[in-house]
Amino acid sequence: MIPEFVQSLRASLGSEYLLWLPGVNAVVRDDRGHVLLHRRSDTGEWSFLSGILDPGEEPAAGVVREVMEETGVRVLPVRLVGVTVSPQITHGNGDLAQYLELLFACRLDGEDQAARVNDDESLDVAWFPPTALPAVRPYVAERIGWALDDRGLARFTAPPRGAGERAG
């Protein structure tokens, strides 16, 4: 679902204008260590759960909301795993966007909960053992690996040499 504020921006700017948007990604684990994934309705690919933050929304609250909206599962964010930038994406409707991605490791909030397709953004949702994940894009597999690594270190892409230097 496209958030209302994005629809308003698109109505004013058009779809060819690159929107820079904050997004959250969730790698959710249950008590068995299985990972919750969804098969996206826009691409048909399996992926972690994700979404766009609403204006003024705290990222941890946003990741909880997104997981609930997409799967009906209540989660608690455990830690911020990574801060990255997506490649530019042209969505199926022609909208051009790029995302600041905040990746969270999450656990269930309470007892085991049945995950279900809870909106139109998913074709399927399922729990997978980390050693038997379905085919996912390489960057999705990498980020799932980051979340499953319990060293507690947040990941980011290092700036290129000379970034931040001012010209004379």
Side-chain angles (χ1 to χ4, degrees), residues 21-145:
L21 298 167
V24 289
N25 301 324
V27 176
V28 180
R29 294 174 78 182
D30 67 9
D31 294 336
R32 301 171 300 169
H34 290 187
V35 176
L36 180 61
L37 300 177
H38 77 132
R39 196 160 57 91
R40 298 176 57 97
S41 60
D42 58 349
T43 65
E45 299 172 326
W46 286 98
S47 190
F48 42 64
L49 301 150
S50 62
I52 299 169
L53 291 173
D54 291 330
E57 185 175 31
E58 289 288 337
V63 79
V64 169
R65 175 185 54 77
E66 284 293 340
V67 173
M68 174 58 81
E69 286 177 1
E70 294 178 10
T71 68
V73 171
R74 292 181 321 277
V75 298
L76 292 171
V78 175
R79 66 184 170 92
L80 180 65
V81 173
V83 179
T84 58
V85 174
S86 76
Q88 287 187 11
I89 299 166
T90 301
H91 291 285
N93 63 1
D95 287 355
L96 182 61
Q98 193 165 21
Y99 299 91
L100 172 65
E101 300 174 312
L102 305 171
L103 175 65
F104 287 88
C106 299
R107 66 175 172 83
L108 292 179
D109 182 6
E111 299 296 316
D112 279 345
Q113 304 168 50
R116 64 184 183 279
V117 173
N118 206 39
D119 64 12
D120 62 355
E121 295 181 33
S122 303
L123 299 172
D124 196 7
V125 296
W127 294 97
F128 295 93
T131 57
L133 297 176
V136 296
R137 290 183 182 215
Y139 82 90
V140 171
E142 177 183 51
R143 281 150 180 76
I144 291 171

Side-chain angles (χ1 to χ4, degrees), residues 154-167:
R155 310 285 178 105
F156 58 93
T157 303
R161 290 185 60 121
E165 293 178 6
R166 294 184 183 245

